[in-house]
Amino acid sequence: MKRLLLPLLLLISTFTGFAQVLSWNPYFVTESTTTFTITVDGSKGNQELFFYTPVTDIYVHIGVITSASTNQSDWKYSKFNWGVADAASRATSLGNSKWSYTITGGFRNYFGITNPAEKIEKIAILFRNGNG
């Protein structure tokens, strides 16, 4: 199967020249991957999340860049409304300014992509506080 969804699109900050802000597991994924975890390290990048409190106030805004996207900013199938502290979008605190978010059940199912001709190219994710 084709490797896809790499590199992850990080919109939390411009991190050129910074250490790796995101990590993910498993490292190589396909559309059939059933469990996928993305972790942000708040001590890296622009450090907006470094020592952020309360640690339970970190959420994700997530979608995908697909073959139907017109450019790298054209998110499709965004899961949550911007700036809304939806419990389903809450990231899990790992301590030490790190948070993770896990996608389960496969990417097509999670994002609700039903057109088999539409290919998932990247995951677009932003870790943010509750008010955006």
Side-chain angles (χ1 to χ4, degrees), residues 21-82:
V21 175
L22 291 182
S23 59
W24 51 92
N25 188 33
Y27 190 75
F28 293 105
V29 295
T30 66
E31 287 186 6
S32 63
T33 300
T34 57
T35 302
F36 181 67
T37 301
I38 303 168
T39 301
V40 65
D41 184 342
S43 71
K44 310 291 189 218
N46 67 8
Q47 298 184 343
E48 290 290 322
L49 297 179
F50 196 38
F51 294 119
Y52 183 84
T53 59
V55 296
T56 56
D57 186 44
I58 300 298
Y59 298 84
V60 298
H61 188 67
I62 190 168
V64 287
I65 306 300
T66 73
S67 55
S69 297
T70 58
N71 59 52
Q72 296 300 301
S73 298
D74 185 17
W75 293 29
K76 303 292 185 188
Y77 308 98
S78 292
K79 288 290 290 184
F80 310 109
N81 293 319
W82 177 255

Side-chain angles (χ1 to χ4, degrees), residues 103-114:
I103 295 171
T104 59
F107 296 109
R108 288 189 169 277
N109 181 56
Y110 178 81
F111 289 106
I113 303 169
T114 58

Side-chain angles (χ1 to χ4, degrees), residues 75-98:
W75 293 29
K76 303 292 185 188
Y77 308 98
S78 292
K79 288 290 290 184
F80 310 109
N81 293 319
W82 177 255
V84 176
D86 183 330
S89 68
R90 181 176 285 133
T92 301
S93 173
L94 303 176
N96 295 321
S97 297
K98 293 182 181 180

